[in-house]
Amino acid sequence: MKKICFVLTVSTGINYGSLSSVPFVKNYDDLKEYFSKYYNVSVNYIRDKDSVDYLVVPKPFTPFDNENNLPIIEVPAILFMEKDFEKIKTCIDNYFSNTPQKK
């Protein structure tokens, strides 16, 4: 199963960048529950960046250091704000169907 990480909060060195205005209060359990049916899912980039295969990043988003040079799947940020998980999944599926997969 593909290991993906939704990059929704990152350290910018001085503080944290996040899709939500209060990064440590935001609960992403519903997102994780939905996508766990299809992928091995993380929503904690800071903790899990060394154990995932792909990053799912809202576009636009705060610049961050992709320390492991993982493949990035860009998804329109509005889909996260609207919680349109089906359209997010379509973006992810399109990436996987159009990009050669690493082994």
Side-chain angles (χ1 to χ4, degrees):
M1 186 177 284
K2 293 176 176 73
K3 297 177 186 176
I4 64 172
C5 179
F6 289 92
V7 181
L8 304 172
T9 302
V10 294
S11 173
T12 60
I14 298 171
N15 59 9
Y16 291 88
S18 177
L19 187 62
S20 94
S21 59
V22 186
F24 296 112
V25 175
K26 184 70 176 170
N27 182 336
Y28 295 113
D29 288 344
D30 51 349
L31 180 132
K32 189 170 182 179
E33 181 180 333
Y34 178 87
F35 285 97
S36 290
K37 296 178 239 173
Y38 310 103
Y39 308 105
N40 184 337
V41 177
S42 167
V43 292
N44 189 330
Y45 173 74
I46 297 164
R47 181 191 67 213
D48 296 332
K49 62 186 169 196
D50 293 325
S51 64
V52 298
D53 301 315
Y54 301 90
L55 304 178
V56 179
V57 180
K59 184 178 179 180
F61 189 66
T62 304
F64 69 99
D65 183 15
N66 182 356
E67 299 169 45
N68 298 330
N69 294 317
L70 294 169
I72 293 177
I73 304 167
E74 293 183 329
V75 176
I78 190 71
L79 298 179
F80 288 95
M81 291 184 271
E82 294 173 346
K83 293 188 172 190
D84 193 337
F85 299 151
E86 289 182 22
K87 286 185 182 173
I88 294 170
K89 184 172 183 313
T90 298
C91 292
I92 295 169
D93 291 345
N94 287 342
Y95 174 88
F96 287 132
S97 66
N98 294 319
T99 304
Q101 304 303 296
K102 63 184 194 174
K103 299 188 185 217

